[in-house]
Amino acid sequence: MEILFALLAILVGGAIMLGGGEVLVRGASRGALLFGIPPLIIGLTIVAVCTSAPELTVSLMGCFREGGSPEIAVGNIVGSNICNILLILGFAAVIRPITVSVQLIRNEIPFLVLISGLFWIIGWFTVGGSASEHFFPRWGGAVFLVLLVLYMIWAIRTVRKEENKPVADNLCEKKISLPSSPDEPAPAKNIFKESLISLVCIALGLGMLIFGSEWFIDGAIKIATAVGVSKLVISLTVLAVGTSLPELVVSAVAAFKGNTDIAIGNVVGSNIFNLLGILGLTSLLVPGGLALSHQAFVFDIPIMILVAGIGGYLCITDQKLTRIEGILLLLGYAGYVVFLLLHGQTA
């Protein structure tokens, strides 16, 4: 019965977080467009941050709630990045083969592989009381946040250079439903009303994310305790899939409608923000940095790096991700989850 209530808490919490993320995205986008910020810049900044808000709230709440569990933060970030490529990108490719843009191949995909490896390298050289204790330190979090800012600046400049390309404009206009465009600003008499609606949506979305993450984490911890697997395994699987629901919905719908550039751009962009933004902020705020469990350091983080490399390789070949390759990615995720559940008993 306890497991049933825990599952219900996860489902309810996940639904609340999904709804909160949607409300937050719409509120932030509505306000940005109201003041004339181009849609593509919104997609690269505000939407990227907001669709990763569930991961951010779960990671922070996992560390700072009573009896904090930093392994939940690490597992959620690593598990979400693995899930995004193997499950979400694989599922999108099965729906419709994905054509990969040259910009992603030259810039974002190599950058994702680079920062994934940098995560592991920093942990390797930052040890605690014994050689087996590794951490992602606070200074590492500061470096990642600086890299995020530099990446955002570079991305915005790149967009401005190519803002006359209609395909690029369509990418972010179709990613979310927006009430207007910067070329058609709202009448002056409606600015106050629209601004107020945006603020209410942002506040409501944040509240739903925090409330839902509490239920989500409580349910996951109870299941981990009841079935005898570690919190890390639960965060790598249940929490990772649950907090990746916004990305899953966006990529699946985009692939179904033929907007495959959105599907893959959403996955790569979310993974970059998960590492630079969420990992960076969480490790910076936690005293002493984030402790990396032995399993995460020697298995899950290397798997995340490997998955990023494999995903990048498949995208580079013929600049396309086929249905067969999508099925292989899904099978890879199924195998990964089965392995975790079979070998994830607590020590």
Side-chain angles (χ1 to χ4, degrees), residues 214-237:
E214 280 279 4
W215 281 52
F216 208 60
I217 292 174
D218 283 338
I221 291 177
K222 288 179 181 178
I223 289 179
T225 303
V227 303
V229 299
S230 66
K231 295 176 185 177
L232 176 64
V233 171
I234 292 296
S235 61
L236 285 164
T237 53

Side-chain angles (χ1 to χ4, degrees), residues 85-86 113 303 305-316 321 329:
I85 292 179
L86 294 182
V113 176
I303 287 293
I305 300 170
L306 178 63
V307 165
I310 291 175
Y313 173 77
L314 293 177
C315 291
I316 291 172
L321 192 64
L329 291 178

Side-chain angles (χ1 to χ4, degrees), residues 243-279:
T243 55
S244 294
L245 285 176
E247 288 91 343
L248 176 61
V249 172
V250 169
S251 292
V253 172
F256 182 77
K257 292 183 176 180
N259 300 323
T260 56
D261 49 355
I262 298 177
I264 188 170
N266 175 53
V267 168
V268 175
S270 294
N271 278 19
I272 290 174
F273 183 78
N274 284 347
L275 286 171
L276 297 184
I278 298 176
L279 176 65

Side-chain angles (χ1 to χ4, degrees), residues 12-335:
V12 173
I16 293 174
M17 284 196 299
L18 182 60
E22 173 69 13
V23 172
L24 185 59
V25 167
R26 291 184 178 275
S29 301
R30 189 185 191 109
L33 287 181
L34 185 64
F35 294 99
I37 301 176
L40 189 52
I41 293 179
I42 294 172
L44 288 169
T45 55
I46 296 172
V47 173
V49 172
C50 290
T51 55
S52 293
E55 286 95 334
L56 178 60
T57 52
V58 166
S59 295
L60 289 176
M61 296 295 288
C63 288
F64 292 106
R65 67 201 303 272
E66 186 176 355
S69 304
E71 63 268 34
I72 286 182
V74 175
N76 182 46
I77 294 167
V78 173
S80 291
N81 276 22
I82 295 173
C83 172
N84 283 349
I85 292 179
L86 294 182
L87 178 62
I88 297 177
L89 191 57
F91 184 63
V94 170
I95 294 175
R96 188 183 299 269
I98 296 175
T99 301
V100 186
S101 70
V102 175
Q103 179 180 341
L104 279 176
I105 293 175
R106 290 179 178 175
N107 301 320
E108 278 78 9
I109 292 177
F111 184 61
L112 173 60
V113 176
L114 176 64
I115 60 176
S116 298
L118 185 59
F119 174 25
W120 189 87
I121 291 172
I122 291 177
W124 173 265
F125 288 102
T126 309
V127 296
S130 67
S132 61
E133 295 177 352
H134 293 271
F135 294 83
F136 191 78
R138 301 182 80 174
W139 65 262
V143 168
F144 269 31
L145 288 175
V146 170
L147 286 176
L148 177 63
V149 173
L150 294 176
Y151 169 74
M152 289 292 188
I153 293 173
W154 171 83
I156 291 173
R157 287 182 175 178
T158 302
V159 168
R160 286 176 175 172
K161 289 179 181 179
E162 302 181 0
E163 63 183 356
N164 292 328
K165 293 184 178 181
V167 174
D169 290 337
N170 287 337
L171 187 149
C172 282
E173 287 175 0
K174 293 180 180 179
K175 186 169 183 178
I176 53 174
S177 299
L178 300 173
S180 61
S181 72
D183 297 326
E184 299 175 358
K189 64 179 182 180
N190 291 331
I191 289 180
F192 176 77
K193 177 182 178 181
E194 293 294 326
S195 299
L196 182 61
I197 292 175
S198 298
L199 290 174
V200 171
C201 288
I202 291 172
L204 179 61
L206 286 172
M208 292 173 67
L209 285 170
I210 294 173
F211 181 74
S213 67
E214 280 279 4
W215 281 52
F216 208 60
I217 292 174
D218 283 338
I221 291 177
K222 288 179 181 178
I223 289 179
T225 303
V227 303
V229 299
S230 66
K231 295 176 185 177
L232 176 64
V233 171
I234 292 296
S235 61
L236 285 164
T237 53
V238 177
L239 292 183
V241 174
T243 55
S244 294
L245 285 176
E247 288 91 343
L248 176 61
V249 172
V250 169
S251 292
V253 172
F256 182 77
K257 292 183 176 180
N259 300 323
T260 56
D261 49 355
I262 298 177
I264 188 170
N266 175 53
V267 168
V268 175
S270 294
N271 278 19
I272 290 174
F273 183 78
N274 284 347
L275 286 171
L276 297 184
I278 298 176
L279 176 65
L281 180 61
T282 305
S283 58
L284 183 64
L285 295 178
V286 174
L290 283 177
L292 305 177
S293 71
H294 180 72
Q295 176 186 327
F297 188 74
V298 303
F299 180 72
D300 299 297
I301 296 176
I303 287 293
M304 179 189 70
I305 300 170
L306 178 63
V307 165
I310 291 175
Y313 173 77
L314 293 177
C315 291
I316 291 172
T317 54
D318 298 326
Q319 297 185 17
K320 195 172 186 178
L321 192 64
T322 66
R323 282 194 173 95
I324 297 297
E325 291 170 337
I327 292 173
L328 291 177
L329 291 178
L330 291 176
L331 290 175
Y333 188 70

